[in-house]
Amino acid sequence: MNKNHPSTEPQSNDWYTERFISEGSSIGLQLTQTLHKEQSAFQSIEIYETSHFGNLLVLDGCIMLTEKDNFIYHEMMAHPALFSHPSPSQVAIIGGGDCGTLKEVLKHKDVEKVVQVEIDQRVTELCQRFFPQLCESNNDPRAEFYFGDGIQWVEGTPNNSLDLLIIDSTDPVGPAEGLFSQGFYQACFEALKPGGVLVLQSESPFYHSHTIIKDMKLKLKACGFENSITRLFPQPVYPSGWWSCTASYKSAPQGSNEHAMKRAKTFATDYYNAEIHFASQAQPEFMR
Ligand code: SAM
């Protein structure tokens, strides 16, 4: 997952091991089969079948997701922000080509339109083939697919036109580097309506609290976002096994209280619920 820490090819025929060199650690998954390998116009794409985690997607040597644990990340990228907006109607996802976040967003009846802006069409095509359960809402008439650079797309979006903007990106290198820049956050701020919310995948609280997450929050504040909440959750196949997303609010969050949220959540989830919504906001001492 983390391109700051170059990974290796599988060390034997049986395991995929991603090494995080600067942290002196790694994550390994036992493989049963190679399903697909290609070099797209943007990145290397590998898909494996694993013994215990279902199918595995790897981009440029970084683990992106497995069938077994992706629900935690995708639910946390979508639901806390959607439930803290009073009427999220116009949504855009930048990146997110596996379509898992899109599927979660579409569970919300208030959402009238979601545009997914993915730079690499091959990621989406291959996920439709190898991760069909993530793509099961792709034919929802509210979903629109645009294949191109998310930075240019946001810059070209009319001011005050989106309720929610989700940045479901790879790590801050290559085509995703600009998705972590202050210029991009400013373009997101302008594209959001008053009361709009920007959600960013914000890497590992254990490894990146004092680097990527701190830097991100300073930049978001400088762009005018009123406040930012970093939510923490487990993610077994990402570096440290612990991940985060950061929601930035153009004005103070107005969403549901716990009871209202329980009533509003009319659909099934496997991780997210009203208690997780609040518990995930708690910050450990080393992050304060
Ligand atoms: N859940 C994942 C994670 O945190 O590892 C993210 C997965 S999703 C597949 C990330 C997607 O962002 C990739 O498919 C990649 O092609 C896309 N991406 C990277 N840079 C982009 C850009 N500038 N514009 C649009 N999409 C981009």
Side-chain angles (χ1 to χ4, degrees):
M1 166 67 205
N2 197 319
K3 287 177 186 147
N4 296 322
H5 313 297
S7 64
T8 62
E9 278 287 299
Q11 290 182 322
S12 76
N13 290 334
D14 298 325
W15 289 79
Y16 189 88
T17 304
E18 182 184 344
R19 291 182 180 177
F20 321 118
I21 303 296
S22 65
E23 315 298 344
S25 68
S26 68
I27 292 220
L29 293 167
Q30 191 175 23
L31 304 180
T32 42
Q33 211 186 137
T34 299
L35 298 172
H36 188 84
K37 276 188 180 193
E38 74 173 57
Q39 179 67 45
S40 75
F42 300 95
Q43 54 209 338
S44 77
I45 307 176
E46 296 163 79
I47 300 170
Y48 300 97
E49 181 189 77
T50 70
S51 61
H52 291 70
F53 278 72
N55 289 352
L56 160 69
L57 173 67
V58 180
L59 297 182
D60 272 351
C62 302
I63 292 177
M64 288 290 124
L65 63 90
T66 74
E67 280 183 299
K68 184 169 177 155
D69 73 341
N70 78 82
F71 66 93
I72 307 175
Y73 174 91
H74 289 137
E75 290 182 14
M76 291 303 288
M77 288 294 285
H79 303 312
L82 281 157
F83 279 121
S84 55
H85 190 290
S87 54
S89 144
Q90 303 298 313
V91 180
I93 299 167
I94 306 301
D98 53 74
C99 305
T101 299
L102 175 67
K103 179 180 143 185
E104 296 305 319
V105 169
L106 288 166
K107 289 179 178 173
H108 291 256
K109 298 278 179 279
D110 284 353
V111 170
E112 288 173 15
K113 184 177 162 192
V114 194
V115 186
Q116 180 169 281
V117 184
E118 164 61 56
I119 204 166
D120 191 347
Q121 187 161 357
R122 286 301 288 151
V123 173
T124 302
E125 288 168 353
L126 290 164
C127 287
Q128 281 170 334
R129 183 168 155 208
F130 292 106
F131 299 88
Q133 69 289 0
L134 294 181
C135 300
E136 62 193 20
S137 301
N138 286 9
N139 292 327
D140 187 311
R142 297 172 296 158
E144 210 176 281
F145 295 87
Y146 176 82
F147 294 103
D149 182 8
I151 300 168
Q152 283 170 18
W153 187 88
V154 173
E155 283 169 358
T157 296
N159 286 358
N160 302 315
S161 60
L162 295 170
D163 295 301
L164 187 66
L165 192 41
I166 301 178
I167 316 303
D168 185 359
S169 68
T170 37
D171 298 306
V173 285
E177 194 174 352
L179 297 174
F180 290 75
S181 70
Q182 188 163 326
F184 177 65
Y185 298 158
Q186 193 66 57
C188 293
F189 184 86
E190 307 304 341
L192 287 167
K193 293 182 200 171
V197 189
L198 172 66
V199 182
L200 307 113
Q201 78 86 357
S202 46
E203 310 272 315
S204 165
F206 195 65
Y207 291 145
H208 306 126
S209 282
H210 299 286
T211 52
I212 297 173
I213 299 175
K214 187 176 170 193
D215 182 58
M216 177 182 277
K217 286 182 138 174
L218 289 172
K219 287 175 181 164
L220 290 163
K221 196 171 178 190
C223 291
F225 283 98
E226 202 155 293
N227 76 338
S228 296
I229 299 174
T230 297
R231 291 191 167 87
L232 312 180
F233 50 91
Q235 197 61 55
V237 301
Y238 285 174
S240 83
W242 198 23
W243 216 245
S244 72
C245 63
T246 295
S248 274
Y249 295 80
K250 209 167 168 175
S251 42
Q254 306 181 359
S256 350
N257 62 35
E258 195 170 341
H259 297 297
M261 198 190 309
K262 274 180 177 155
R263 282 198 304 275
K265 190 170 113 32
T266 53
F267 49 80
T269 49
D270 287 313
Y271 185 73
Y272 177 81
N273 56 35
E275 290 80 7
I276 293 274
H277 182 102
F278 293 101
S280 62
Q281 296 175 184
Q283 307 288 294
E285 285 303 303
F286 72 84
M287 283 188 76
R288 280 177 199 268

